[in-house]
Amino acid sequence: MAQGDPAILQLPAHSTGLGQPVAARGYGKPSEYEKNLQRRESPGLTRVSQSSVAFAPLQGLFGIITPNGLHFERHHQGWWDIDPRQHRLMLHGLVREAKVYTMDDLMRLPSVSRIHFIECGANSGMEWANVAVPTVQYSHGMLSCCEFTGVRLATLLEHCGADVKKGRYILAEGADGSGLTRTIGMERALDDVIVAWAMNGECLRPENGYPLRLVVPGVQGVSWVKWLRRLEVGDQPWDTREEALHYIDLMPDGLHRQYSSVQECKSVITTPSGGQVLLNKGQYNVTGLAWSGRGRIRRVDVSVDGGRNWKTARLETPVLPKALTRFNMAWNWDGRPAILQSRAIDDTGYVQPKIAQLRAVRGTRSIYHNNAIQSWLVAASGEVSNVQVE
Amino acid sequence: MSRWNKALCAMALVLAANQAWAQHSGIGRAATPAEIAAWDTDVRGDFKGLPPGSGSVSHGEVVWEAKCASCHGSFGESNQFFPPLIGGVTAEDIRTGRVAGLAKGGEQRSTVMKLSKISTLWDYINRAMPWQAPKTLTADEVYALTAYILHQGNIVPGSFVLSDKNMAEVQARLPNRNGMTRKHGLWETRGKPDVKAVACMRNCGPEPRITSQLPDHAAGSHGDLVEQYRLFGPVRMAALPVASAVPAAAPAVVSDPGRSLADKNGCLACHAPKQRTIGPALAEIASKYRGDSGAESRLVAKVRAGGQGVWGTTPMPPFQNLQEQDLRAMVQWILKAE
């Protein structure tokens, strides 16, 4: 370093040679240097990869939009790449006329584009009783956010003449082997549910339901039925497997809560986060994500002393209902141990709770809907680890 | 035409256009009764949608051994690939309709412990089982399998025949029929939250105490974290000891198309590389047929047809829908196992 940085003083090949032509890659890919950011399974969580989860690498993402190739995956019986020309959507039950739609039909209808988060009901589910995983990818990575494009379910229901008085519920069914089925309330269906064919400007990825999926804003991911082929209007909920044997929350008295659906207000700091190490003392940008299934994020507070004192973080725009919201806060690390936390408040006034507050009501065996404040311990060495505090 | 008339005409045109849009003319078509019947197989808690038919526990046992036992164990007790179906319910639970074990905690929750509607079980087996060939069972087979599971859970006797006529009687015996509640604030957007926190800003509560940290043995459970984040930016991933339990994939093996096909088609769920699990280890199969030039074709036929007896009593289910070339690639890869 006598004269300066070799990266400046010695001109590299890319400054002294000819670069690559346009369209060298007809569909662009991330840089070679980004290959560490991958969707990953959590070893030991499931034993069969067709019925499993791949978590999104939240520790490496920016803003609020999840790149399509890094959107988290959850399949119940494996995924398929379905030929859209052979795909059909049937709408029947308590309707004036049962109808069949092709993709051609659906894409001629008036469409909407909306940014919404999707979170699996079991996100952070491994940590109800204790710390179980090292990084935010595995603690919170069943979370993604996209701009979805499709037709409002209300439009289709109207088109078929759905009896919205008697038909209080809708069953949505996937075309995959699992034939995944979930009941959705009519009020919600008429509100903001979308039958979507696109995410982030391109058609859905096969892993995310190509060519058609349901988007149920604010509700846990299992209701966002992928490879959507059938919608039935009925007068009762269906009690299907994914709403009567799984995705039910066990309470301390042994009762299971059924149809727990709303993803309540939650946030997490993604940098610095578990498994990382700070480079040295000095300035850092504490950044993370906040979201609420009941509406818009009103405020996010950040603590660096384990929840004793809080400062309000800066929210990046846009701040949209039922969408991820990015927060940032400058922090000067003095080299001493610190415990970082974030706490979100939504526009209903609901405050994200501590894990102890959740446990006092729901125990530790619920699996689903853990929206507790996350704590990251920064050691004097700069190493960051996943901890729980009281 | 006066300006007023022009305006009226324009308005009429706009109205007409709006009406045409609202009707979405030319979009979609009526579903035929046969089409609806083909897809509308769901069975509700009140048994709406349940087709006529019946099946005995003993018939269920035969179908079970052929199509279900390889994943779920002969008695539905296996915890190897999926959570157990059977276990954890008592005669007292059948009487009360609440599984007492669910309030205690500790043990793994089996399907019969959680099951509150018999229709749920029937509908799921019918729509999604067996694992690699869903929607191939007859209604009578579904009744028989449901009866077999109920018998394993001591809910019905071994002589029982389940049918659309007596589903309601079985429902009244389900151990956890009273174990589900919909009274909570998480169903509707406007539901009332069950946990209320307040946003204190200064000197909140006592000094925080760390109650849980990642245990040492789990430090390396998720592989080499350094490889899970970019190599520039405000932070790096810390290097952690990688637990030996995490299998390191050998690149040469991974790149074999037969391996990825075997993984994709679920073969590796029952066949491990070296240890015998549900089925024989891949190395065992390769060793048995080493030097046998006809082995490849015979194994291709065996995988397609399924079988039993070569390696033990656990049957291997048939995989009839595999492409010939894929199947061959998988068998070729398996025969190379060491």
Side-chain angles (χ1 to χ4, degrees), chain A residues 80 111 113 122 139 207 265 290 385:
Chain A
W80 297 87
S111 66
S113 294
S139 65
E207 296 93 322
C265 185
S385 61

Side-chain angles (χ1 to χ4, degrees), chain A residues 34 36-37 40 42-43 47-48 50-51 59-60 62 76-77 88 90 92 97-101 105 108-110 130-135 138 155 159 169 171 173 176-179 181 187-188 229-230 232 235-241 244-246 250 252-262 264 271 275-279 284 294 299 301 305-310 312 343 345 350-351 353 357-358 361-362 365 367 377 383 386-390, chain B residues 23-31 35-36 39-46 48 79-83 98 101-106 109 111 114-117 120 123-124 127-131 134-135 176 178-182 184-215 218 221-222 225-238 263-266 269:
Chain A
E34 293 294 312
N36 284 356
L37 296 167
R40 295 173 194 274
S42 179
R47 283 152 291 185
V48 184
Q50 282 89 350
S51 176
Q59 70 275 15
F62 306 97
H76 289 242
Q77 221 148 322
R88 305 287 182 266
M90 184 185 292
H92 71 106
E97 184 178 45
K99 283 191 185 288
V100 172
Y101 299 93
D105 290 325
R108 287 166 65 183
L109 288 166
N130 50 266
V131 168
V133 294
T135 73
Y138 306 107
T155 304
H159 192 220
Y169 302 96
L171 184 75
E173 179 182 79
D176 62 320
S178 78
T181 28
E187 194 184 334
R188 188 182 288 287
R229 75 167 190 181
R230 189 167 73 92
E232 181 176 357
D235 59 357
Q236 282 183 36
W238 272 261
D239 294 300
T240 69
R241 186 225 193 199
L245 277 171
H246 299 274
L250 180 60
D253 63 359
L255 269 184
H256 279 101
R257 284 182 179 172
Q258 196 184 11
Y259 295 109
S260 50
S261 305
V262 174
E264 292 185 292
T271 304
Q276 298 180 336
V277 54
L278 305 187
L279 298 181
Y284 285 89
R294 295 200 204 269
R299 192 176 102 202
D301 302 322
D305 62 3
R308 287 272 293 157
N309 295 284
W310 298 82
T312 297
R343 176 181 69 193
I345 304 170
Y350 175 90
V351 180
Q357 293 172 312
L358 279 171
V361 176
R362 304 188 197 163
R365 298 176 298 136
I367 299 179
L377 171 68
E383 286 177 88
N386 184 2
V387 297
Q388 292 181 348
V389 300
E390 267 179 35
Chain B
Q23 289 165 357
H24 309 310
S25 60
I27 306 283
R29 62 164 175 83
E35 287 173 336
I36 296 172
W39 278 7
D40 180 15
T41 67
D42 55 73
V43 180
R44 247 171 26 179
D46 60 357
K48 180 176 172 287
N79 189 24
Q80 194 159 9
F81 301 104
F82 302 99
R98 282 286 298 275
L102 288 171
K104 292 197 207 97
R109 282 168 263 170
T111 296
K114 295 188 288 182
L115 188 70
S116 64
K117 295 267 168 65
T120 305
D123 176 82
Y124 182 67
R127 74 172 52 248
M129 289 292 120
W131 172 247
K135 304 176 183 67
N176 203 40
N178 301 322
M180 209 74 79
T181 178
R182 296 174 186 174
H184 56 78
L186 283 180
W187 196 351
E188 300 298 343
T189 305
R190 288 191 298 274
K192 191 168 176 284
D194 58 349
V195 178
K196 190 167 166 44
V198 284
C200 165
M201 294 302 282
R202 281 187 186 287
N203 301 316
C204 314
E207 201 62 32
R209 185 173 54 89
I210 292 177
T211 56
S212 179
Q213 286 187 280
L214 198 63
S221 60
H222 285 66
L225 300 182
V226 173
E227 293 176 358
Q228 300 181 26
Y229 187 68
R230 54 178 69 87
L231 301 175
F232 66 95
V235 296
R236 300 286 182 275
M237 281 297 192
D263 193 13
K264 188 177 146 215
N265 288 294

Side-chain angles (χ1 to χ4, degrees), chain B residues 5-320:
Chain B
N5 272 343
K6 269 187 191 163
L8 271 183
C9 274
M11 199 188 286
L13 275 174
V14 167
L15 284 175
N18 273 341
Q19 214 154 24
W21 290 338
Q23 289 165 357
H24 309 310
S25 60
I27 306 283
R29 62 164 175 83
T32 70
E35 287 173 336
I36 296 172
W39 278 7
D40 180 15
T41 67
D42 55 73
V43 180
R44 247 171 26 179
D46 60 357
F47 306 126
K48 180 176 172 287
L50 186 68
S54 68
S56 64
V57 171
S58 55
H59 179 210
E61 185 174 5
V62 174
V63 183
W64 184 269
E65 274 303 321
K67 299 185 176 179
C68 317
S70 57
C71 283
H72 294 295
S74 283
F75 310 103
E77 81 296 350
S78 174
N79 189 24
Q80 194 159 9
F81 301 104
F82 302 99
L85 304 178
I86 298 301
V89 300
T90 65
E92 177 65 7
D93 296 338
I94 293 175
R95 199 183 65 75
T96 62
R98 282 286 298 275
V99 171
L102 288 171
K104 292 197 207 97
E107 63 192 302
Q108 182 144 17
R109 282 168 263 170
S110 73
T111 296
V112 289
M113 285 173 79
K114 295 188 288 182
L115 188 70
S116 64
K117 295 267 168 65
I118 187 64
S119 60
T120 305
L121 189 60
W122 201 101
D123 176 82
Y124 182 67
I125 295 170
N126 187 49
R127 74 172 52 248
M129 289 292 120
W131 172 247
Q132 80 291 352
K135 304 176 183 67
T136 57
L137 298 168
T138 65
D140 286 348
E141 284 177 324
V142 177
Y143 279 108
L145 289 170
T146 306
Y148 181 75
I149 293 171
L150 293 168
H151 175 58
Q152 294 306 318
N154 296 318
I155 299 161
V156 301
S159 57
F160 195 74
V161 180
L162 181 69
S163 75
D164 54 305
K165 305 286 187 300
N166 61 13
M167 284 277 276
E169 289 164 37
V170 174
Q171 173 64 38
R173 286 179 58 76
L174 279 195
N176 203 40
R177 61 188 177 276
N178 301 322
M180 209 74 79
T181 178
R182 296 174 186 174
K183 288 184 184 139
H184 56 78
L186 283 180
W187 196 351
E188 300 298 343
T189 305
R190 288 191 298 274
K192 191 168 176 284
D194 58 349
V195 178
K196 190 167 166 44
V198 284
C200 165
M201 294 302 282
R202 281 187 186 287
N203 301 316
C204 314
E207 201 62 32
R209 185 173 54 89
I210 292 177
T211 56
S212 179
Q213 286 187 280
L214 198 63
D216 285 343
H217 66 81
S221 60
H222 285 66
D224 185 356
L225 300 182
V226 173
E227 293 176 358
Q228 300 181 26
Y229 187 68
R230 54 178 69 87
L231 301 175
F232 66 95
V235 296
R236 300 286 182 275
M237 281 297 192
L240 287 171
V242 176
S244 55
V246 177
V253 177
V254 171
S255 64
D256 190 309
R259 190 210 183 277
S260 39
L261 283 166
D263 193 13
K264 188 177 146 215
N265 288 294
C267 308
L268 307 185
C270 295
H271 300 283
K274 293 187 193 305
Q275 300 87 31
R276 186 174 294 204
T277 52
I278 281 182
L282 301 175
E284 284 183 289
I285 302 170
S287 160
K288 179 180 169 80
Y289 296 105
R290 192 149 287 140
D292 177 349
S293 58
E296 183 182 315
S297 294
R298 292 210 307 282
L299 284 184
V300 163
K302 265 171 120 93
V303 173
R304 210 177 272 297
Q308 184 180 13
V310 180
W311 298 95
T313 53
T314 305
M316 169 156 143
F319 288 80
Q320 285 158 355

Side-chain angles (χ1 to χ4, degrees), chain A residues 14-81:
Chain A
H14 62 255
S15 298
T16 56
L18 178 61
Q20 299 190 57
V22 298
R25 301 190 294 206
Y27 193 101
K29 288 192 297 184
S31 156
E32 277 299 300
Y33 301 100
E34 293 294 312
K35 64 175 190 291
N36 284 356
L37 296 167
Q38 303 272 328
R39 295 190 280 223
R40 295 173 194 274
E41 279 190 275
S42 179
L45 180 62
T46 55
R47 283 152 291 185
V48 184
S49 291
Q50 282 89 350
S51 176
S52 189
V53 179
F55 296 79
L58 302 182
Q59 70 275 15
L61 303 183
F62 306 97
I64 61 171
I65 297 293
T66 311
N68 285 344
L70 294 176
H71 191 295
F72 84 90
E73 289 179 77
R74 166 76 172 114
H75 315 306
H76 289 242
Q77 221 148 322
W79 63 271
W80 297 87
D81 194 359

